[in-house]
Amino acid sequence: GNVTFSCSEPQVVPITFLSANRSFLQLPGTPQIDGLSVSFQFRTWNKDGLLMFTELSENSGPLLVYLHSGRLTLLIQKETENPVEISEGTNLHDGLWHSVNINARRHRITLTLDNNAASASHATTVARIYSGNSYYFGGCPDNFTDSQCLNSITAFQGCMRLIFIDNQPKDLILVQQGSLGNFSDLHIDLCGIKDRCLPNYCEHGGKCSQSWSTFYCDCNDTGYMGATCHNSIYEQSCEAYRHQGKTSGFFYIDSDGSGPLGPLRVFCNITEDKIWTAVQHNNTGLTRVQGVDPEKPYTVSFNYNSSAEQLEAMINSAEYCEQEAAYHCKKSRLLNTPNGMPFAWWVGRANEKHLYWGGSLPGIQQCACGLEESCLDMRYFCNCDADREEWTNDTGLLTYKDHLPVSQIVVTDTNRSNSEAAWKIGPLRCYGDRQFWNAASFNTEASYLHFPTFHAEVSADISFFFKTTAVSGVFLENLGIKDFIRVEISSPKEITFSVDVGNGPTEATVQSPTPLNDNQWHYVRAERNLKQTSLQVDNLPKKVLEAPAEGHFRLQLNSQLFVGGTASRQKGFLGCIRSLHLNGQKLDLEERAKMTPGVKPGCPGHCSSYGNLCHNGGKCVEKYNGYSCDCTNSAYEGPFCKEEVSALFEAGTSITYVFQEPYPVTKNASTSSSAIYADAVMSKENIAFSFLTAHTPSLLLYINTYFHEYLAVILSKNGSLQVRYKLSKDGLLIFTIDSGNFANRQLHHVKINREGRELIIQVDQVLKLKHNFSEIDFKAIKSLTLGKVTDSLSLDPEVAKANAYGFTGCLSSVQYNHIAPLKAALRHPSIAPVTVKGSLSESSCASIMEADVNTVTTIYSSSDPFGKTDEREPLSNAVRSDSAVIGG
């Protein structure tokens, strides 16, 4: 006869466990004499969660199946024996469907993941395993005790389907109808899991991961930070690093901040008044070329280890850029005549071919000598075009920003007899940040600037500096039909960032302990993304508000952006705003202010906020774009008056500064502050210097007057420091600092301050001595000497003993009131009243000490300033300004 089989797949009905606290599904089991069989499929984003629980029959104990850190674990807890635990898989919270099969017969239990029998895990138990009466999926009812369901395990959030118990499929539609099992807080016939990483809202290559309710961004190795990797960890220019007090070095700059362009590695030269940014390429050396003609030209391309867009953004942000172009030639023509075909050219931005050379102007086929009318042959406009047999060159700077950087150079005329050329293209160098000091002053509450609509649907960041004396006002505002974004100073101590994306207004407010309307510069950064709304003011704690998991998330704006005012008729802003950035884009406030009534470009008063960046007596000087530090009356130099000025003294070296008619210490110094009249009566001394030596006794500093009074600072034979005052009324006063041997090849810092009768001596930032004189005035100061006193003065025996050796070592940053004698001797010996005798060479005391401590080589020297003078004995760790180390 015929036998007919009819097969049907079980109905696939997914269920969703919604709550991490209340969701569960209870299904009946079919208790058997021996063994159990359970299978199901699950899908989740959570690393942890209880998948299944049952109380095994015949007191076999509870059985749990759960996820822990994305790994599947089966656990049987028994009172009479050790727990049975087996685990399978990794990263099972990946949002994909995974199948679980549990089979037990007698004493053996097997856990199979994703139907992979080859990798199934097995375990054995002492007691037999019996199927349970009830099976709980996703969680347990509230009336269960901790021991029954191990509620310490997080409940499951996700989806399940295809549940089989003891080989019987469970119809979840019957569960929904109430005729099978029990459930709480489920969606049946629906898998409500969301892929929150598609699309990926982590920016700049951040890696997205997620849980049931939200997503997370891993920003490691991206160069960005924040909840969505939106904010660059780098500054936008070298000017910004200088503003932080950084010195020269390699830095990453991100010209468009939170924009799409990545960071660029540059060298910031912060030693001059102008802050130069340099980007090297792969061919900065002088390169020789021979044997090329128009049929087989020589072509070389330049790699700056960056994209063209990054370089373009850096150039556009700068005030000025340049690249040196040099062409050395012997019978090798460069550009030919202005009407002829050029023999060499370069390619710049946008792959454009350019027929002018360094020092000339765009659109003119000439070199620098052509513009200056100084070429070797006046019939040509480049030196090389004269086609001479001897070497000559055309060198100049390419400065037209829209054509830079140089991306390629082509040479075609070195194939004739005795024809040869060599070229060199320098690094790209720029200075100035056009945006950092870009400011506007708002003079009335009704004045404002308007810009195109701020498009920031998914993420928005706003940053700027402000200063004001007003009690409130709106910095900026942009409206949509319902949505809006606004930043304002709502009271003298409060900044508020308000945003509405359709879920109702969200307000982040930062409260300052001190008033913010103090006419000082303050920094504001507001950000809104899918995860949070945040507001940062200066260095105060950041205010962060978490965004709702569901609801509207796109910011829809359609009006113009108002800066310094408001479209919603609220109170406008009175004061200055500068360096305004929206999503990394710079807004040119100055240019817009030039054509807007009630608003002026620029804003004075930078020194009021940044004057403290000028150190060691440096004076802050106000500039239209920022400020600079005037180090005229400081013993230091550099952009912030922090760089030491130090020199190496040998035996017999002396610097004498004579107090006579007023002389300026530097060319731009004022006469009143740079010198002291001979008949002046000094009621105070402010002396500061650093020294490093290995010699005792030594005379460090000596000040004498026309009335045979003096002040001497010496090192005694035992290495102690002595400050000796010889006064007409008090006689000789000796102050000894004997807290150690100061001739120990270490750098020591000395401060001697006398105001009227009170004297304070500090050594290495530690207060060592205080003294009150009966009466003191230095009358008619004659001179100040560093090192050996060479004049025929009647020195007292102790000073004379120290002066026999003078000073051998390193002196740094010497200051006497407003005089910097060491700096005057090194920088302005021709205009300052200073005399130098003996050998004086500039050197860094700090680096000498470092070298002296760290060196492992033995250096031989016959005139080492720190070592022995016996030529027959090797000198260890010697330092000398004109020495060299051979072979290391």
Side-chain angles (χ1 to χ4, degrees), residues 151-166:
N151 282 341
S152 58
I153 299 173
T154 309
F156 175 73
Q157 277 184 300
C159 300
M160 285 191 190
R161 68 184 184 187
L162 296 175
I163 299 176
F164 286 71
I165 298 178
D166 297 327

Side-chain angles (χ1 to χ4, degrees), residues 259-461:
L261 299 179
L264 170 66
R265 189 171 186 261
V266 302
F267 183 79
C268 295
N269 188 353
I270 312 181
T271 59
E272 307 171 35
D273 184 38
K274 291 184 174 67
I275 313 305
W276 286 94
T277 303
V279 184
Q280 287 282 4
H281 55 75
N282 57 337
N283 273 303
T284 51
L286 190 65
T287 306
R288 301 176 85 93
V289 183
Q290 283 182 294
V292 299
D293 56 33
E295 300 300 320
K296 48 173 186 178
Y298 169 88
T299 303
V300 64
S301 298
F302 301 104
N303 178 10
Y304 294 85
N305 286 322
S306 58
S307 68
E309 291 79 12
Q310 286 175 308
L311 293 174
E312 187 175 334
M314 188 196 92
I315 292 169
N316 291 342
S317 299
E319 292 178 25
Y320 167 88
C321 291
E322 67 181 26
Q323 245 180 311
E324 184 185 51
Y327 191 79
H328 298 262
C329 53
K330 184 171 73 170
K331 208 167 178 53
S332 172
R333 291 160 293 181
L334 179 56
L335 296 182
N336 205 347
T337 62
N339 301 318
M341 286 296 294
F343 292 101
W345 59 88
W346 59 279
V347 177
R349 190 191 301 185
N351 215 27
E352 286 183 289
K353 178 179 175 181
H354 299 293
L355 308 182
Y356 67 98
W357 199 246
S360 183
L361 300 174
I364 307 173
Q365 192 171 319
Q366 293 186 13
C367 298
C369 71
L371 281 184
E372 299 164 0
E373 298 183 352
S374 60
C375 295
L376 290 174
D377 189 331
M378 297 304 291
R379 293 173 298 171
Y380 298 98
F381 298 97
C382 292
N383 290 321
C384 289
D385 291 343
D387 210 22
R388 301 282 182 88
E389 290 276 356
E390 63 273 3
W391 281 99
T392 185
N393 77 87
D394 287 293
T395 301
L397 296 174
L398 301 167
T399 60
Y400 189 63
K401 286 197 336 178
D402 288 355
H403 290 171
L404 296 176
V406 179
S407 61
Q408 194 179 73
I409 186 173
V410 180
V411 177
T412 67
D413 186 30
T414 61
N415 204 24
R416 295 173 293 152
S417 176
N418 292 326
S419 179
E420 192 175 351
W423 60 266
K424 179 181 179 182
I425 301 294
L428 174 65
R429 299 175 75 239
C430 300
Y431 73 73
D433 181 346
R434 291 169 56 206
Q435 182 58 23
F436 194 77
W437 300 105
N438 189 306
S441 305
F442 298 86
N443 303 322
T444 68
E445 290 180 2
S447 59
Y448 60 85
L449 301 176
H450 59 257
F451 292 89
T453 307
F454 180 31
H455 292 292
E457 286 79 7
V458 176
S459 58
D461 73 85

